[in-house]
Amino acid sequence: MTAIPAPRTEREARYEPAEGLRAHSAALLRHADQLRSGAVALDWKGPQAEAFRWRIEALADRCATAAAGLARSAEQLDAAVRSR
């Protein structure tokens, strides 16, 4: 059985493209923070643990970089709309 997503609310359906990019950017930043917090809270010692933490930190960095790119794209969309 597949789950059928709930219908979009009127507000969700009317998201401007820049707003959608900002929402995704914020979600990615939250994920990056959660990844970093989880890696710090890990109660595991040894070289494998450090390698794991390093990989989690790298993933969090990728999320933050993608979030910054989405935020820049939202700014560019806003600038294009203002210049019309």
Side-chain angles (χ1 to χ4, degrees), residues 17-19 21-22 68-84:
E19 288 178 44
L21 290 173
R22 282 189 197 87
L70 290 173
R72 273 193 309 278
S73 294
E75 289 172 14
Q76 290 172 350
L77 282 172
D78 286 340
V81 168
R82 282 192 301 266
S83 68
R84 288 185 192 172

Side-chain angles (χ1 to χ4, degrees), residues 18-73:
E19 288 178 44
L21 290 173
R22 282 189 197 87
H24 286 296
S25 175
L28 280 170
L29 287 175
R30 283 191 303 274
H31 289 307
D33 289 342
Q34 290 172 342
L35 284 166
R36 288 185 176 113
S37 296
V40 167
L42 200 66
D43 189 25
W44 182 21
K45 306 289 184 218
Q48 290 177 335
E50 289 309 310
F52 182 74
R53 284 185 187 94
W54 182 85
R55 297 213 41 200
I56 295 298
E57 184 61 34
L59 180 58
D61 288 344
R62 288 175 59 192
C63 288
T65 298
L70 290 173
R72 273 193 309 278
S73 294

